[in-house]
């Protein structure tokens, strides 16, 4: 109980403290320290699940199981490494006049609050509170995306707020329908929205109501996942917000939204006794992969390009979970992990590269190996990893997804292979001159934080060779819970 209180209390305390002291010279260290404390508590919670299994807490309002505990740990880890990257990056932005003291306080406070909302969304047992936490995450990230206060960032934040607000309203209606279906079985009261209670009676839920509820929940949470055609907010938010926020948006928030969707799918599968939920996820996932792959080759902004890469990979995960079964679910969970690690490392490298060049335009970033070999190799290796080159973990998860698709839905395999090939060509064609071309770019005043880049790449490489037994256990248990 004390560990869970600390898991939520540390980022909450961090938000309060940094709201007052977030502009001080050591604010970045404070931000990283609070994030490290959150990571330590997440590890302790994970160890308890490994030792004792799933458990309920706080009058059944929190539920920790193998499906969410590894995401909690992943969220805390990427949150900590991003905080380390954020320090020198935001100091450089401050030196260039893009960040003022009030904006620095807002940035650091909202960073901690954003972490808190994701942890609440992942651990809550209440489907209504899950919706509230997702809405809170939207509001905090709107403030983070708009922190530069430029016309472009304000437009991106407004677009993000409107589109995700409409999407989350659909999820609210889906949650109301879910309560209506549960009310007929469990009776009135807050207990009708507890996932553990719903899971116990999921086969008895009214099929017609559950089918309609899942449609609204898929559209609502699918907007936050960035599924096509609900994706248009995502490239703008990534391109115009600070790069650390791009890293946690791609690496963490999209995972949390997909997690919410998976919880809903488990209930809908049992209630409908059909493939409708899975088929809908397959359709949205496949459309997202194909659309994003072809849009990749048209981007001129490096952060927008990798934003479309995130849409592609979230589509691939959605497709895998739509297929269902132990192998596809295992592959989807593995892909969630390696995508979070690799994509955040790419944004770390891209952030330093864009600061060195003074632009996010792909044509304006050249010859990174000349001015900073570490940044150049970080970007190149990260790009190859996210494109599925062996022996990185993305290759392993994509191989499992493709082989499962060959067995379950053979016609989708050539479509996926074509999309992945187009994405590979589009990204590699643009990254290669960014790394190896000629340049006259000067060095940065602040030494960049490169440890997070190579720590994430190293973990992504390790997962291509070897998955630790405890992680394999989590994946297998979580895959069995998702079913399908």
């Amino acid at each position: 109980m004390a560990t869970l209180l600390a898991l939520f209390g540390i980022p909450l305390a961090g938000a309060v403290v940094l709201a007052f002291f977030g502009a001080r010279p050591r604010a970045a260290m404070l931000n990283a320290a609070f994030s490290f404390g959150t990571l330590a508590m997440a590890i302790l919670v994970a160890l308890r699940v490994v030792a004792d299994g799933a458990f309920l807490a706080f009058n059944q309002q929190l539920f920790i199981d193998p499906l969410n505990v590894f995401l909690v740990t992943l969220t805390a880890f990427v949150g900590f490494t991003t905080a380390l990257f954020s320090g020198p990056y935001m100091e450089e932005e401050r030196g260039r006049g893009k960040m003022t003291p009030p904006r620095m306080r807002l940035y650091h406070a909202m960073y901690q609050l954003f972490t808190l909302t994701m942890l609440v969304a992942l651990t809550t047992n209440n489907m209504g509170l899950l919706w509230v936490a997702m809405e809170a995450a939207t509001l905090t990230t709107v403030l983070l995306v708009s922190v530069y206060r430029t016309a472009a960032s304000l437009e991106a934040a407004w677009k993000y707020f409107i589109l995700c607000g409409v999407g989350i309203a659909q999820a609210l209606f889906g949650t109301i329908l879910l309560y209506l279906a549960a009310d007929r079985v469990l009776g009135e009261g807050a207990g009708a929205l507890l996932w553990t209670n719903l899971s116990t009676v999921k086969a008895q839920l009214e099929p017609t109501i559950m089918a309609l509820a899942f449609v609204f929940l898929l559209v609502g949470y699918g907007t936050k996942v960035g599924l096509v055609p609900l994706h248009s907010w995502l490239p703008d938010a990534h391109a115009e917000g600070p790069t650390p926020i791009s890293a946690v948006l791609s690496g963490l928030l999209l995972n949390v939204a997909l997690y919410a969707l998976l919880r809903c799918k488990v209930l809908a599968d049992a209630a409908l006794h059909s493939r409708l939920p899975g088929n809908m996820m397959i359709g949205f996932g496949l459309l997202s992969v194909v659309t994003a792959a072809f849009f990749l080759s048209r981007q001129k902004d490096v952060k927008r390009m990798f934003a479309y890469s995130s849409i592609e990979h979230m589509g691939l995960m959605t497709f895998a979970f739509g297929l269902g079964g132990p192998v596809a679910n295992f592959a989807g969970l593995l892909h969630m992990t390696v995508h979070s690690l690799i994509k955040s490392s790419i944004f770390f490298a891209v952030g330093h590269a864009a600061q060195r060049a003074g632009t996010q335009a792909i044509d304006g970033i050249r010859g990174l190996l000349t001015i900073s070999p570490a940044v150049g190799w970080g970007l190149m290796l990260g790009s190859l990893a996210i494109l599925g080159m062996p022996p990185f973990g993305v290759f392993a998860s994509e191989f499992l997804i493709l082989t499962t698709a060959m067995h379950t839905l053979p016609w989708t395999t050539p479509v996926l292979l074509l999309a992945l090939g187009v994405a590979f060509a589009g990204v590699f064609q643009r990254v290669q001159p960014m790394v190896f071309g000629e340049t006259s770019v000067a060095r940065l005043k602040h030494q960049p934080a490169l440890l997070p880049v190579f720590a994430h790449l190293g973990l992504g490489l390790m997962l291509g060779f070897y998955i630790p037994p405890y992680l394999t256990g989590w994946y297998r248990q979580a895959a069995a819970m998702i079913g399908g």
Side-chain angles (χ1 to χ4, degrees):
M1 191 73 73
T3 306
L4 283 175
L5 281 173
L7 179 67
F8 303 119
I10 290 173
L12 180 59
V16 174
V17 170
L18 290 168
F20 292 98
F21 303 105
R24 299 286 179 87
R26 296 186 179 274
M29 293 179 61
L30 270 177
N31 190 41
F34 280 114
S35 297
F36 179 76
T38 303
L39 173 60
M41 294 304 105
I43 292 172
L44 292 177
V45 172
L47 290 174
R48 177 175 174 182
V49 172
V50 171
D52 303 326
F55 65 92
L56 291 160
F58 296 107
N59 196 28
Q60 300 185 27
Q61 293 304 306
L62 295 182
F63 177 56
I64 317 295
D65 67 357
L67 177 57
N68 60 18
V69 74
F70 93 88
L71 286 173
V72 168
T73 310
L74 179 66
T75 297
F77 175 74
V78 175
F80 169 60
T81 55
T82 304
L84 292 178
F85 159 76
S86 173
Y89 181 88
M90 296 308 291
E91 280 303 314
E92 183 73 20
E93 298 292 87
R94 187 175 188 172
R96 298 182 181 196
K98 297 179 73 173
M99 295 294 291
T100 61
R103 293 177 193 174
M104 291 293 285
R105 287 195 295 270
L106 176 66
Y107 170 81
H108 285 123
M110 288 301 104
Y111 186 93
Q112 291 296 319
L113 205 56
F114 176 51
T115 302
L116 174 63
T117 59
M118 289 190 292
L119 293 174
V120 172
L122 288 171
T123 56
T124 182
N125 190 31
N126 190 309
M127 300 299 287
L129 185 56
L130 171 61
W131 179 88
V132 172
M134 291 299 299
E135 176 68 4
T138 300
L139 296 176
T140 54
T141 44
V142 164
L143 294 174
L144 287 167
V145 169
S146 65
V147 74
Y148 287 147
R149 296 297 188 269
T150 63
S153 67
L154 291 171
E155 180 184 353
W158 181 249
K159 186 176 182 180
Y160 173 42
F161 176 72
I162 292 296
L163 292 179
C164 286
V166 171
I168 211 73
Q170 308 303 309
L172 175 60
F173 187 62
T175 304
I176 293 171
L177 290 173
L178 179 62
Y179 177 80
L180 178 62
D183 175 63
R184 300 186 174 193
V185 181
L186 295 169
E188 296 182 0
L193 277 178
L194 296 182
W195 194 86
T196 47
N197 292 345
L198 289 166
S199 181
T200 304
V201 300
K202 57 188 176 184
Q204 304 172 42
L205 299 175
E206 172 60 39
T208 304
I209 298 176
M210 283 302 299
L212 190 59
F214 186 76
V215 170
F216 280 97
L217 290 165
L218 176 59
V219 172
Y221 290 131
T223 303
K224 294 288 290 184
V225 175
L227 298 177
V228 174
L230 315 166
H231 68 288
S232 57
W233 64 270
L234 197 151
D236 288 346
H238 280 63
E240 301 304 333
T243 300
I245 303 310
S246 301
V248 291
L249 276 175
S250 269
L252 300 179
L253 183 60
L254 304 186
N255 279 356
V256 176
L258 185 55
Y259 162 83
L261 188 55
L262 290 177
R263 288 291 193 193
C264 301
K265 178 181 180 290
V266 171
L267 302 176
D269 279 338
L272 299 181
H273 306 288
S274 74
R275 286 285 308 162
L276 177 64
N279 289 339
M280 291 180 66
M281 291 180 70
I282 287 171
F284 273 100
L286 197 61
L287 179 62
S288 300
V289 173
V290 173
T291 304
F294 282 93
F295 269 92
L296 273 169
S297 60
R298 302 178 57 187
Q299 301 310 308
K300 298 180 180 179
D301 182 294
V302 64
K303 288 173 67 176
R304 287 183 68 90
M305 180 178 72
F306 284 112
Y308 275 102
S309 172
S310 294
I311 295 170
E312 175 204 3
H313 286 279
M314 296 310 297
L316 195 59
M317 294 174 216
T318 304
F319 174 84
F321 291 124
L323 287 177
V327 178
N329 289 337
F330 185 99
L333 293 167
L334 176 60
H335 202 79
M336 289 176 81
T337 307
V338 291
H339 175 261
S340 293
L341 294 170
I342 300 298
K343 186 56 65 63
S344 52
S345 74
I346 289 173
F347 276 112
F348 297 161
V350 163
H352 291 315
Q355 282 188 333
R356 289 176 186 275
T359 179
Q360 294 177 189
I362 294 173
D363 291 340
I365 304 174
R366 288 292 184 267
L368 291 174
L369 279 184
T370 303
I371 56 171
S372 179
V375 172
W377 281 116
L379 179 57
M380 178 54 70
L381 292 174
S383 300
L384 291 174
I386 207 65
L387 291 172
M389 284 291 288
F392 286 97
V394 175
F395 170 79
S397 57
E398 287 184 349
F399 181 81
L400 289 173
I401 293 170
L402 287 169
T403 52
T404 307
M406 288 179 191
H407 177 72
T408 308
L409 284 176
W411 66 269
T412 61
T413 308
V415 178
L416 288 173
L417 286 172
L418 173 64
L420 293 175
V422 170
F424 186 99
V427 172
F428 189 77
Q429 178 187 8
R430 281 156 175 74
V431 170
Q432 191 271 339
M434 292 172 64
V435 175
F436 296 106
E438 298 293 331
T439 186
S440 59
V441 174
R443 292 183 176 272
L444 290 176
K445 295 180 181 178
H446 297 87
Q447 183 64 26
L450 296 173
L451 178 61
V453 177
F454 291 99
H456 286 207
L457 288 175
L459 289 171
L461 180 62
M462 182 197 73
L463 291 173
F465 286 108
Y466 170 74
I467 303 176
Y470 60 86
L471 193 56
T472 302
W474 284 348
Y475 288 159
R476 286 176 176 168
Q477 293 178 57
M481 292 175 59
I482 297 168

